[in-house]
Amino acid sequence: MTAVDDRPASEVGTARKRKEDARLITGRTKWTDNIQLPGMLHLAMVRSPFAHATIDGIDTSAAAASPGVIAVFTGADLADSQGVNINAWPIAPDQVTPTHLPVAVERVACAGEIVAVVAARSAAAARDAVELVDVEWGELPAVLDLKEAAADTVLAHPSLGTNKSAFWKLDSAEQGTGGDVDEAIAKARVDGIVIEREYRQQRLVPAFMEPRSTVVDPTGDQMIVWSATQVPHILRFAIAATTGIPESKVRVIAPDVGGGFGGKLQTTPEEFATIAVARKLGKPCKFTETRSETMVSAHHGRDQWQKLTLSAEKDGTVTGLKVELLADLGAYVAIVGGGVPVLGAWMFNAIYKFPAYQFNCQTVLTNKTWVDAYRGAGRPEATYAIERLMDELAVEVGVDPIAIREKNWITHDEFPFTTVAGMTYDSGNYEAATAKALELFGYDELRAEQKARRESGDPVQLGIGVSTFTEMCGLAPSRVLGSLSYGAGGWESASIRMLATGTVEVVSGATPHGQGHETAWSQIVADRLGIPFENVEVLHGDTQIAPKGLDTYGSRSLVVGGEAIVRAADKVIERARPIAAHLLEASVDDLEFAGGRFTVRGTDKGIGITDVALATFAAHNLPDGVEPSLDADATYDPIDFSFPHGTHLCAMEVDTETGATTMRKYVCVDDIGTIVNPLIVEGQIHGGLVQGIAQALFEGAEYDDQGTLVSGSFVDYTLPTAADTINYVSEHTTSPSTTNTLGTKGVGEAGTIASTPAVVNAVVDAVRHLGVADIEMPCTPQRVWKAIRSAGSSGGGAADEAQPHFADGAPNHDPAAGATDGAGQ
């Protein structure tokens, strides 16, 4: 009886359950905080309560005498060994970059900055002793507002003489990719349409599940650092580059990491402080932050003022786009913080054929937590602004928002298309994605319902929001990054080891923190080598096991790291080919490879690649001059970014009497090229949607006038729960990428990028007929209610009258007045 092969015809495209989930769900994994080493000490950080202050003295004597305490170190004590937090992307030659010491020595520039470290025998003893450290502060004026920072009236770092860090510009006329935008706008003021709008991107907290944690063992020949990080290879480089420890003596391990969303791509003050104390004491040390520490001292995201000027002909054909951006970096220029707003430069033009374009970005320093990449990194900010603006253009012209997009987008037969910003989009079909989304959404029926509600004066109005987007994924070509002064390359590395027992080890330089790499990489290799999915083991996250890599961020893992794996697998096949030919007594040129077997063309003679691996291991019968190994390495440097796209449609109900918003329906159709695992894609899309929707409706990091983060816990910083979400309809169309073998595009950030403008467009659309043209995010019930009342009064005074009674699930709270809303809007 012949055994039935129940493997799928192709692993790529199969909805495999994730290999990782068994250990993650059952708790059988080992997070960094689970690591216990003999003689290990626990650290706690003494942090500044002030946004800006001098350190006039620190008395550590009481803390040092506290039970269980081994030592207390100030910044001055660690000055010779603590290294520095690096900025890897100076966006301008004259960028103003304040030195960012892990433990401050003379002055702090934001609340939460570390000024001393307590080492004790237990975490509880260390935390207790922190309260006994007496710091003498000299409070200084703090600058907290973006526009005030740009005016330089109060300085975040007085010694620098300015808050302006860097100015960066992209001009289509200057680089030869388009016309003069000022001329286009001037012409439109005479015989066309000019729309000017300002939008605010509020500050967000990445809010990953697992707090950051670091364990350092300095006792062996190598210093071993375990860290809940997205970037073990970059961390290793930064440690060696700034502390003087030889890179060969540093081993960094990222165990299973409980989420990151960009929030763990830093080289953090806490990592460097832990390293410095461990070296000073010669003992293993661990630091794990509390959730409140995560909120105040892990980097934040977004925080921009955006001014856009769009010019168009009277029929709505766009002619120019000018962007003026003011971006808050916080107190320091983080590892890629200065470059994050610049990433939007190539995305404000989105999917539209603008003949002229100019992007201007001024980054500024304030006395708030530093800002860096958060899911989407510059691209959600750009997509939000242009998709809000396209709705405004549709209103001005008097057409449906879908129609104005169709008039101006790149059509499927125009690909590859070089945009006004200079990017070449290799493939796409915006028409197909939009048509599918409209059908799934029931667009015409919902528009009819909206019309009926308006005509009847229903207090609960219906709004429909549109977001058609593209993004650049796979932080990519090294030469391009070099031209932008980015401090690293865009390549990724992979190795494949063929084991004698028929199994395969894949070593990846991409380091996952929840994406499902182990499953997806196994599927790719199983298909490429024709071996069972179960027989592939994926290794990652340890710089000794995977010595080369540039880690995981910017939706680069599949399109860059996956391509490296494909190329390593192809090298394995080619290395096996002469050995297989020798064993089959055939010419290499006569061999074909498919389904894991080499066969002699025109015969039934063949041998499996795993049998070749065993024969290679034995090395009893190899061709002369052939090494006894099939293992192969590959490093892939992409030729371009990848450009996924999609259409997202949202229906929101808005109670005009209370401002409460309720999501009625959400449909998204994304084109991410070839899909390796539909189940993983679905999870990525849904997770991204929730984060983008949360920015639109719930989240905001708010400071008081003294620079204290008042939304510093989940009581005040509102993350949506399952109860605050609905069932989303997500589908896809497929336009394979032409720049990589698999035809894949990124997916990790798509949901976040597209959903925020779709939701806000829907909320505004519901009340636009009442005179509301914009509502600042997050669109809390109080903000929506105030916008409606302000629009309905001549001077806007109605917004300050008696507040409405909010029903359950619509709390009367405005983040601008303090913290953010409770869940359940």
Side-chain angles (χ1 to χ4, degrees):
M1 183 176 178
T2 304
V4 177
D5 187 351
D6 59 357
R7 287 183 293 167
S10 173
E11 282 290 347
V12 171
T14 300
R16 284 276 191 184
K17 290 184 179 180
R18 302 196 320 173
K19 286 184 173 183
E20 303 91 325
D21 286 347
R23 69 175 187 272
L24 294 173
I25 293 171
T26 60
R28 289 188 288 109
T29 188
K30 180 171 283 189
W31 310 105
T32 302
D33 190 46
N34 296 137
I35 294 168
Q36 301 293 331
L37 301 176
M40 185 175 71
L41 301 177
H42 297 263
L43 307 187
M45 307 297 168
V46 181
R47 298 183 185 273
S48 170
F50 297 107
H52 196 194
T54 56
I55 304 168
D56 297 336
I58 303 180
D59 183 354
T60 63
S61 57
S66 181
V69 172
I70 302 300
V72 183
F73 296 98
T74 66
D77 297 328
L78 302 175
D80 61 342
S81 60
Q82 68 171 323
V84 67
N85 292 287
I86 62 173
N87 167 237
W89 193 354
I91 63 172
D94 58 350
Q95 175 175 289
V96 175
T97 310
T99 300
H100 187 185
L101 295 175
V103 183
V105 176
E106 298 177 346
R107 186 179 60 89
V108 294
C110 63
E113 193 163 352
I114 303 168
V115 298
V117 185
V118 175
R121 297 191 186 280
S122 71
R127 287 194 295 268
D128 288 345
V130 161
E131 304 298 325
L132 301 175
V133 176
D134 186 13
V135 183
E136 184 179 344
W137 302 99
E139 191 172 1
L140 298 170
V143 58
L144 304 167
D145 180 80
L146 254 177
K147 292 184 177 179
E148 289 178 6
D152 280 342
T153 51
V154 176
L155 298 180
H157 298 271
S159 64
L160 299 179
T162 183
N163 294 320
K164 298 182 182 71
S165 179
F167 178 78
W168 196 91
K169 178 181 178 181
L170 185 155
D171 190 295
S172 63
E174 292 177 2
Q175 69 178 18
T177 55
D180 186 295
V181 75
D182 290 324
E183 290 180 4
I185 293 169
K187 183 177 186 300
R189 291 193 191 279
V190 176
D191 59 5
I193 297 170
V194 175
I195 297 176
E196 295 178 305
R197 295 289 187 274
E198 285 195 20
Y199 298 116
R200 182 74 169 98
Q201 281 280 325
Q202 79 268 39
R203 178 177 281 246
L204 301 176
V205 176
F208 31 76
M209 289 184 291
E210 175 204 19
R212 297 173 304 166
S213 182
T214 302
V215 175
V216 178
D217 185 357
T219 60
D221 291 336
Q222 281 186 313
M223 183 179 70
I224 306 175
V225 179
W226 291 265
S227 181
T229 180
Q230 297 176 218
V231 289
H233 297 91
I234 292 171
L235 176 58
R236 182 192 190 209
F237 168 83
I239 292 168
T242 66
T243 65
I245 305 172
E247 191 170 357
S248 62
K249 296 295 185 182
V250 180
R251 179 183 181 185
V252 176
I253 302 171
D256 279 325
V257 175
F261 311 123
K264 291 177 181 172
L265 60 69
Q266 289 298 325
T267 57
T268 69
E270 292 82 2
E271 288 165 332
F272 280 102
T274 305
I275 290 167
V277 171
R279 293 176 71 195
K280 283 279 188 183
L281 297 176
K283 292 180 177 293
C285 290
K286 178 197 287 187
F287 171 75
T288 300
E289 67 189 0
T290 63
R291 179 61 67 182
S292 59
E293 285 180 299
T294 300
M295 303 292 279
V296 74
S297 62
H299 78 248
H300 294 168
R302 313 287 193 253
D303 208 346
Q304 297 179 2
W305 274 104
Q306 305 167 318
K307 180 180 178 182
L308 281 79
T309 305
L310 182 147
S311 61
E313 297 175 3
K314 289 184 177 180
D315 69 351
T317 302
V318 296
T319 60
L321 179 65
K322 187 173 186 176
V323 178
E324 296 167 271
L325 204 66
L326 197 58
D328 189 353
L329 300 180
Y332 298 101
V333 189
I335 190 166
V336 293
V340 166
V342 168
L343 286 173
W346 296 280
M347 289 288 102
F348 273 92
N349 54 284
I351 66 172
Y352 307 114
K353 293 182 284 190
F354 283 99
Y357 173 62
Q358 187 182 96
F359 172 90
N360 305 275
C361 176
Q362 177 68 60
T363 60
V364 297
L365 298 160
T366 62
N367 294 116
K368 294 186 286 189
T369 300
W370 50 95
V371 172
D372 208 327
Y374 171 56
R375 199 170 190 170
R379 293 151 294 163
E381 298 92 315
T383 300
Y384 177 82
I386 189 59
E387 287 304 289
R388 290 285 296 112
L389 203 59
M390 292 304 286
D391 262 28
E392 296 299 304
L393 179 59
V395 170
E396 184 71 22
V397 178
V399 298
D400 188 271
I402 294 290
I404 205 70
R405 289 164 169 82
E406 289 175 336
K407 177 179 282 291
N408 289 290
W409 67 31
I410 304 157
T411 59
H412 72 278
D413 55 359
E414 293 179 288
F415 289 96
F417 185 91
T418 300
T419 73
V420 71
M423 283 288 177
T424 299
Y425 298 170
D426 63 320
S427 66
N429 191 328
Y430 309 140
E431 303 99 307
T434 303
K436 191 168 187 177
L438 291 172
E439 180 183 358
L440 291 167
F441 191 66
Y443 189 82
D444 292 340
E445 293 84 352
L446 285 167
R447 282 293 183 200
E449 181 184 339
Q450 179 187 54
K451 183 174 182 291
R453 287 198 189 196
R454 288 187 178 180
E455 290 173 349
S456 68
D458 193 326
V460 178
Q461 289 290 306
L462 179 65
I464 296 171
V466 178
S467 175
T468 50
F469 83 105
T470 189
E471 58 161 321
M472 48 190 276
C473 287
L475 199 58
S478 296
R479 290 184 179 182
V480 171
L481 297 177
S483 71
L484 297 172
S485 300
Y486 185 76
W491 53 265
E492 194 48 82
S493 182
S495 301
I496 293 183
R497 304 168 182 164
M498 299 295 295
L499 305 182
T501 53
T503 56
V504 176
E505 288 179 342
V506 178
V507 181
S508 173
T511 303
H513 44 281
Q515 292 87 346
H517 289 183
E518 292 176 28
T519 304
W521 292 179
S522 295
Q523 290 180 270
I524 291 170
V525 171
D527 263 5
R528 212 73 185 177
L529 298 182
I531 60 175
F533 167 83
E534 296 77 12
N535 288 358
V536 183
E537 185 76 16
V538 178
L539 307 176
H540 55 77
D542 182 336
T543 61
Q544 189 152 294
I545 292 173
K548 293 198 302 180
L550 285 175
D551 306 318
T552 298
Y553 41 85
S555 297
R556 69 186 302 272
S557 293
L558 179 59
V559 294
V560 186
E563 181 68 12
I565 288 168
V566 167
R567 295 184 177 216
D570 289 348
K571 285 184 178 181
V572 166
I573 294 168
E574 292 311 304
R575 295 195 71 171
R577 191 177 296 276
I579 299 173
H582 180 77
L583 295 172
L584 293 170
E585 299 180 339
S587 167
V588 169
D589 295 335
D590 289 337
L591 285 195
E592 296 176 337
F593 182 79
R597 287 182 61 79
F598 290 98
T599 56
V600 180
R601 188 179 294 108
T603 75
D604 58 0
K605 291 176 60 179
I607 187 172
I609 194 168
T610 55
D611 294 324
V612 176
L614 179 59
T616 304
F617 169 76
H620 296 160
N621 184 20
L622 299 181
D624 293 341
V626 172
E627 296 179 4
S629 174
L630 303 184
D631 300 349
D633 303 333
T635 299
Y636 172 64
D637 198 341
I639 61 173
D640 203 349
F641 298 88
S642 73
F643 299 95
H645 68 83
T647 297
H648 289 223
L649 301 173
C650 177
M652 295 291 296
E653 292 182 339
V654 177
D655 188 328
T656 59
E657 296 178 345
T658 67
T661 60
T662 303
M663 186 171 290
R664 165 86 169 271
K665 191 172 187 178
Y666 197 103
V667 168
C668 60
V669 176
D670 288 282
D671 190 327
I672 59 167
T674 302
I675 293 175
V676 173
N677 187 315
L679 195 62
I680 290 176
V681 166
E682 188 84 353
Q684 288 279 15
I685 293 289
H686 281 207
L689 289 178
V690 172
Q691 282 183 284
I693 292 166
Q695 178 175 7
L697 298 177
F698 301 102
E699 294 186 38
E702 299 292 338
Y703 287 81
D704 65 16
D705 292 341
Q706 282 71 50
T708 300
L709 183 69
V710 294
S711 54
S713 74
F714 287 157
V715 173
D716 300 304
Y717 186 88
T718 308
L719 290 180
T721 69
D724 305 303
T725 61
I726 64 171
N727 289 325
Y728 311 115
V729 178
S730 58
E731 287 288 346
H732 66 271
T733 54
T734 302
S735 303
S737 172
T738 63
T739 60
N740 63 72
T741 304
L742 291 172
T744 58
K745 303 176 183 180
V747 70
E749 297 161 305
T752 304
I753 291 170
S755 58
T756 307
V759 174
V760 176
N761 278 342
V763 173
V764 172
D765 185 58
V767 294
R768 189 182 288 277
H769 66 294
L770 302 176
V772 177
D774 189 34
I775 301 170
E776 189 174 312
M777 296 187 292
C779 298
T780 60
Q782 190 175 49
R783 283 187 171 176
V784 174
W785 184 86
K786 282 187 173 184
I788 295 169
R789 294 303 178 272
S790 295
S793 64
S794 57
D800 299 318
E801 295 171 1
Q803 298 293 297
H805 171 73
F806 288 91
D808 290 343
N812 176 12
H813 194 81
D814 186 349
T820 53
D821 283 349
Q825 297 179 53

